[in-house]
């Protein structure tokens, strides 16, 4: 898979691009940055212009980078999402025997909703700051630190004895995990142009969706392991230890920036750096630039993208945090079976997301229209859930809605990154935008409280309204950036008229 991730097929490497790309000469972060970046190679290598690099050579460079960083990022993200979502599987694990976490810790429905939601307050608040630490420290150190600390805390959850202990460990877990996902998006922007990120982000993100499949399987297996410890305690222990080990390995495995990548030759490093636009994040730029932050908040697309992320977080993703419980309430007989039935939606998301990422990467489909189409399909599924009583149809609607909801963010992320100008602005924009996505965990469980079951009509009505808002704000973002395709269509029509 990694060797097939292509560079953008419509991005020619020309001499005009070399001279028109001010990144390396007049970067908005300061002239000094470009000189420092180019000082990593010999003078003879600097003379080599980008016109000397063929598309095949560029493709080989990208393959080398993909093979070096993407597999490890995908595996670590899979582990991260398993640890993040295991609370939903633990919710109903061994419920029939009275050994579930809610019964043992004497939690009410509202207590449980807060146990899920409390994670996202520190997680969302610390996202922008933690994202910038990717730049101020190094990606290998910061991502590795995040993994080690979250793994330790996940193991600690297995030892909690009451509601206070659960809340404390969940809050600490949110603080520990903050910055991982936006940090990876930020990290990739140091290596690739935004138009080259679509498939890469889709592949990376899709592994997170597989976590529901793996987590559901682990929960099913652990449900037969209760003995010395209840199943839910085994679940947290089993899923926390790999994060610690992989975090330690990340310190040594993950390369940091193109400027310091030992697996690239001097010429390859120059090509990677010089191809980036003037707005791309740079290792040599200063981490904090107040002017960039001011410009970011004055940019209307900051607010439209933020509104899209907020509306979709609750309307599209809120369901995912209680999916096994909702499936159980729909009439499936056992909690073990409900955990198993939470696996196919994750697998469907993996498949759909990689297909759509490939289509967008190859410039065949406009990402804004893809996202709008996904939201409309999600709305249709929720309408079915509101109006149809057949259990099979309702489950299939859940499957499709989960797959479509899980594909929206990664399809739009490259355009979100592209709209941020500068190293500081990119870090803050990515961090804040992803922080807004955490309302899925803050308000999602509240929208899908078990008191609204088994039909969850109120919950699905709220989601339909929010998804309609996401459609509007997605269209506004594309219109403000002139990326909806209307301008291109007008140009084609003008050319036809002249002909």
């Amino acid at each position: 898979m990694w060797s097939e991730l292509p560079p953008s097929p419509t991005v020619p490497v020309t001499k005009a691009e070399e001279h028109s790309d001010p990144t390396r000469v007049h970067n908005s972060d300061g002239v000094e940055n470009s000189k420092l970046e180019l000082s990593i190679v010999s003078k003879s290598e600097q003379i080599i212009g980008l016109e000397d690099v063929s598309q095949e050579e560029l493709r080989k460079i990208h393959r080398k980078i993909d093979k070096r960083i993407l597999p490890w990022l995908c595996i670590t993200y899979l582990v991260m999402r398993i640890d993040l979502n295991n609370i939903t599987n633990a919710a109903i694990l061994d419920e029939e025997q009275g050994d579930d976490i809610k019964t043992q810790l004497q939690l009410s429905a509202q207590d449980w909703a807060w146990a899920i939601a409390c994670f996202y307050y520190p997680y969302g608040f610390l996202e922008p700051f933690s994202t910038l630490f990717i730049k101020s420290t190094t990606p290998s150190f910061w991502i590795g630190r995040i993994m080690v600390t979250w793994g330790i805390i996940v193991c600690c959850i297995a030892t909690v004895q009451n509601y206070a202990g659960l809340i404390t460990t969940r809050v600490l877990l949110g603080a520990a995990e903050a910055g991982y996902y936006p940090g990876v998006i930020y990290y990739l922007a140091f290596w690739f142009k935004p138009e080259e990120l679509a498939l890469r982000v889709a592949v990376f993100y899709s592994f997170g969706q597989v976590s529901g499949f793996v987590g559901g399987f682990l929960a099913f297996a652990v449900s037969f392991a209760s003995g010395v410890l209840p199943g839910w305690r085994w679940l947290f222990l089993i899923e926390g230890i790999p994060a610690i080990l992989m975090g330690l390995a990340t310190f040594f495995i993950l390369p940091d920036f193109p400027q310091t990548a030992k697996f690239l030759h001097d010429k390859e490093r120059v090509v990677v750096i010089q191809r980036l636009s003037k707005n791309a994040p740079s290792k040599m730029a200063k981490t904090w630039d107040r002017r960039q932050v001011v410009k970011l908040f004055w940019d209307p697309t900051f607010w439209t993208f933020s509104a899209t992320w907020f509306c979709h977080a609750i309307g599209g993703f809120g369901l995912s945090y209680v999916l096994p419980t909702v499936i159980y309430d729909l009439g499936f007989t056992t909690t073990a079976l409900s955990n198993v039935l939470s696996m196919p939606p994750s697998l469907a998301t993996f498949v759909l997301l990689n297909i759509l990422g490939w289509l967008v990467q190859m410039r065949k489909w406009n990402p804004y229209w893809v996202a709008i189409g996904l939201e409309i399909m999600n709305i249709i599924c929720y309408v079915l859930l509101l109006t149809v009583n057949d259990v099979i149809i309702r489950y299939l609607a859940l499957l499709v809605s989960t797959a479509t909801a899980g594909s929206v963010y990664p399809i739009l992320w490259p355009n979100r990154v592209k709209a941020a100008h500068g190293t500081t602005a990119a870090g803050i924009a990515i961090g804040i935008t992803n922080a807004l996505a955490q309302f899925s965990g803050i308000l999602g469980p509240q929208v899908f409280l078990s008191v609204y079951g088994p039909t969850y009509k109120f919950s699905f009505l709220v989601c339909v309204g929010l998804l309609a808002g996401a459609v509007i704000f997605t269209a506004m973002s594309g219109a403000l950036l002139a990326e909806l395709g209307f301008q291109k269509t007008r140009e084609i029509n003008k050319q036809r008229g002249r002909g």
Side-chain angles (χ1 to χ4, degrees):
M1 177 183 289
W2 316 112
S3 62
E4 297 175 355
L5 293 177
S8 176
T10 60
V11 182
V13 182
T14 65
K15 191 171 185 66
E17 178 179 342
E18 177 189 4
H19 293 295
S20 63
D21 182 0
T23 325
R24 314 303 109 190
V25 182
H26 301 96
N27 194 295
S28 59
D29 295 312
V31 176
E32 298 83 3
N33 302 341
S34 304
K35 294 179 180 178
L36 284 170
E37 286 181 355
L38 292 180
S39 69
I40 63 169
V41 295
S42 65
K43 187 174 181 179
S44 61
E45 292 285 2
Q46 293 176 29
I47 297 174
I48 298 175
L50 291 178
E51 79 279 2
D52 298 320
V53 182
S54 67
Q55 283 293 326
E56 183 58 31
E57 288 178 301
L58 180 60
R59 190 173 289 108
K60 288 181 179 179
I61 294 172
H62 278 179
R63 285 174 181 168
K64 184 183 289 188
I65 297 171
D66 288 332
K67 290 178 180 179
R68 187 68 174 80
I69 67 178
L70 277 180
W72 188 250
L73 289 176
C74 289
I75 295 170
T76 57
Y77 188 51
L78 170 62
V79 173
M80 182 264 197
R81 293 301 303 185
I82 291 174
D83 289 347
L84 182 62
N85 295 331
N86 58 14
I87 194 78
T88 64
N89 296 114
I92 59 174
L93 190 60
D94 294 332
E95 186 175 301
E96 293 93 344
Q97 293 81 26
D99 290 333
D100 58 295
I101 186 173
K102 295 180 185 177
T103 301
Q104 291 204 335
L105 300 186
Q106 299 179 347
L107 305 178
S108 66
Q110 191 61 48
D111 289 339
W112 185 249
W114 278 112
I116 296 176
C118 69
F119 167 93
Y120 295 93
Y121 289 98
Y123 188 82
F125 177 76
L126 295 174
E127 290 266 60
F129 309 103
S130 186
T131 302
L132 285 179
F133 272 112
I134 291 284
K135 165 69 172 59
S136 62
T137 59
T138 62
S140 59
F141 169 77
W142 196 246
I143 291 175
R145 191 283 307 164
I146 290 174
M147 294 190 68
V148 170
T149 52
W150 100 49
I152 292 172
I153 296 170
V154 167
C155 290
C156 290
I157 296 177
T159 67
V160 299
Q161 301 297 321
N162 50 43
Y163 178 57
L166 180 62
I167 291 292
T168 301
T169 50
R170 288 283 294 170
V171 169
L172 291 174
L173 183 62
E177 286 195 23
Y180 177 85
Y181 178 78
V184 169
I185 300 295
Y186 189 46
Y187 170 64
L188 292 175
F190 284 86
W191 294 84
F192 301 103
K193 290 184 174 183
E195 54 265 34
E196 296 163 353
L197 287 177
L199 182 54
R200 291 173 173 92
V201 172
V203 171
F204 167 71
Y205 194 85
S206 66
F207 271 74
Q209 302 308 304
V210 175
S211 67
F213 186 91
V214 178
F217 175 79
L218 286 175
F220 177 74
V222 168
S223 67
F224 298 99
S226 296
V228 178
L229 293 175
W232 65 269
R233 295 188 188 274
W234 280 118
L235 185 66
F236 286 112
L237 282 173
I238 291 171
E239 294 179 356
I241 293 173
I244 300 172
L245 299 177
M246 295 183 71
L248 294 173
T250 298
F251 294 144
F252 307 99
I253 292 176
L254 188 67
D256 292 318
F257 300 103
Q259 291 87 344
T260 58
K262 295 180 180 179
F263 69 95
L264 295 177
H265 300 306
D266 286 346
K267 178 182 176 181
E268 293 171 334
R269 287 196 290 266
V270 172
V271 170
V272 171
I273 295 166
Q274 288 189 331
R275 289 186 69 252
L276 300 178
S277 75
K278 66 180 180 180
N279 299 323
S282 166
K283 173 186 181 293
M284 308 310 300
K286 55 185 179 181
T287 303
W288 182 259
D289 188 324
R290 185 178 61 84
R291 291 176 300 174
Q292 288 185 18
V293 177
V294 172
K295 289 180 181 179
L296 174 68
F297 289 126
W298 276 105
D299 185 351
T301 62
F302 171 81
W303 301 103
T304 56
F305 274 117
S306 296
T308 298
W309 255 251
F310 175 81
C311 290
H312 182 75
I314 306 168
F317 259 138
L319 171 63
S320 65
Y321 294 94
V322 289
L323 184 60
T325 301
V326 172
I327 291 174
Y328 182 55
D329 287 342
L330 286 178
F332 293 96
T333 54
T334 67
T335 56
L337 178 59
S338 296
N339 272 324
V340 170
L341 290 173
S342 70
M343 295 160 59
S346 301
L347 184 60
T349 307
F350 178 87
V351 174
L352 176 63
L353 183 50
N354 280 283
I355 292 173
L356 293 177
W358 183 84
L359 290 170
V360 173
Q361 176 81 25
M362 302 306 291
R363 298 291 188 87
K364 292 183 178 180
W365 287 7
N366 183 296
Y368 295 98
W369 290 113
V370 170
I372 289 171
L374 290 170
E375 298 290 34
I376 292 174
M377 179 60 70
N378 217 349
I379 290 173
I380 293 172
C381 289
Y382 284 164
V383 170
L384 287 175
L385 288 165
L386 282 167
T387 57
V388 176
N389 294 321
D390 184 84
V391 173
I392 301 300
I393 294 177
R394 287 167 68 83
Y395 174 72
L396 291 175
L398 281 175
L399 187 151
V400 174
S401 67
T402 303
T404 54
S407 301
V408 172
Y409 284 155
I411 292 299
L412 288 177
W413 262 121
N415 298 81
R416 179 68 200 95
V417 173
K418 183 179 178 181
H421 301 162
T423 301
T424 303
I428 294 296
I430 293 170
I432 291 178
T433 302
N434 200 67
L436 289 168
Q438 307 320 312
F439 278 96
S440 59
I442 295 174
L443 297 179
Q446 301 292 336
V447 172
F448 282 92
L449 281 173
S450 57
V451 295
Y452 300 127
T455 61
Y456 292 96
K457 286 189 176 181
F458 170 80
S459 308
F460 291 125
L461 280 172
V462 171
C463 290
V464 167
L466 288 167
L467 290 175
V471 169
I472 294 171
F473 289 117
T474 300
M476 289 176 64
S477 298
L480 288 168
L481 293 169
E483 293 179 349
L484 286 178
F486 295 138
Q487 184 177 3
K488 184 177 181 180
T489 302
R490 286 195 295 266
E491 290 175 357
I492 293 174
N493 290 334
K494 286 181 181 179
Q495 292 175 357
R496 289 176 178 175
R498 291 170 187 165

